[in-house]
Amino acid sequence: MSVKKHTDTAVELNKPYEQNEIQLKGILGFGIGLFLLIVVTFGLMYAFLNVLNDYSKELADPVNPMAMTEKDRLPAEPRLQGAPGFGVESENGFVRMELGAPQAEYRELHKQWEHAWKYGLKDEKTGTVTMMPIKDAKEKLLTMNVKARTGADAEKVFSDSRSSISDASAGRMAALKRR
């Protein structure tokens, strides 16, 4: 019996290869299907591109409505130190600072501030005075006949002016400012 088992295993070992279960027909079918899928996809993308090109030609306004204007591209106010190409709006229009000294922007802004301090400012839309010279403000205060506070009322106003809500108290209580 032991001899027979030995010969059976020897017959199995003499097989030259395993049988191939993958057929060439399946591989070729997959390749042709993939190729057709690619061709159809490229055709659809080409048609879609032509539709988009036609649509872009039909648009009346070629400028994007969401595009920023030159003024929108400027950094937010106040512009303390302008980069080359920036300037300042003044009474005479836009003053370019790109070829000036580094202090040119500050000097122009200082002129505007001094003009506002001397002559005041009015809101263009409402005409309301938003800033007035100090001399005019003093005269207006004196004509209003404002009386000074005395006694306990003055003490309360003084203590309220020195207390503030601090971050450390998280708004729970007012802290006394040190001066």
Side-chain angles (χ1 to χ4, degrees), residues 70-83:
E70 285 297 321
K71 191 165 187 169
D72 292 337
R73 290 185 182 149
L74 294 174
E77 293 283 346
R79 290 181 213 105
L80 301 178
Q81 183 176 8

Side-chain angles (χ1 to χ4, degrees), residues 3 6 13 21 24 29 38-40 58-59 62 70 81 90 92 98-99 110 128 131 135 142 145-146 151:
V3 176
H6 183 64
L13 291 176
E21 295 182 11
L24 183 62
I38 290 171
V39 168
V40 169
E58 291 176 6
L59 290 177
E70 285 297 321
Q81 183 176 8
S90 71
N92 304 331
E98 53 200 21
L99 297 177
H110 194 16
T128 307
M131 181 177 169
K135 290 180 183 177
L142 292 174
N145 198 16
V146 176

Side-chain angles (χ1 to χ4, degrees), residues 2-67:
S2 64
V3 176
K4 187 175 182 186
K5 282 186 180 179
H6 183 64
T7 56
D8 287 341
T9 55
V11 171
E12 288 179 15
L13 291 176
N14 288 334
K15 289 184 179 177
Y17 61 90
E18 268 188 44
Q19 185 150 7
N20 189 358
E21 295 182 11
I22 300 176
Q23 302 294 325
L24 183 62
K25 180 180 171 184
I27 293 174
L28 289 177
F30 177 77
I32 292 171
L34 186 62
F35 178 75
L36 289 176
L37 181 65
I38 290 171
V39 168
V40 169
T41 304
F42 281 142
L44 289 174
M45 289 297 111
Y46 184 74
F48 185 62
L49 182 64
N50 287 336
V51 168
L52 288 178
N53 285 337
D54 292 343
Y55 178 71
S56 68
K57 290 176 186 174
E58 291 176 6
L59 290 177
D61 188 14
V63 177
N64 185 353
M66 297 297 290

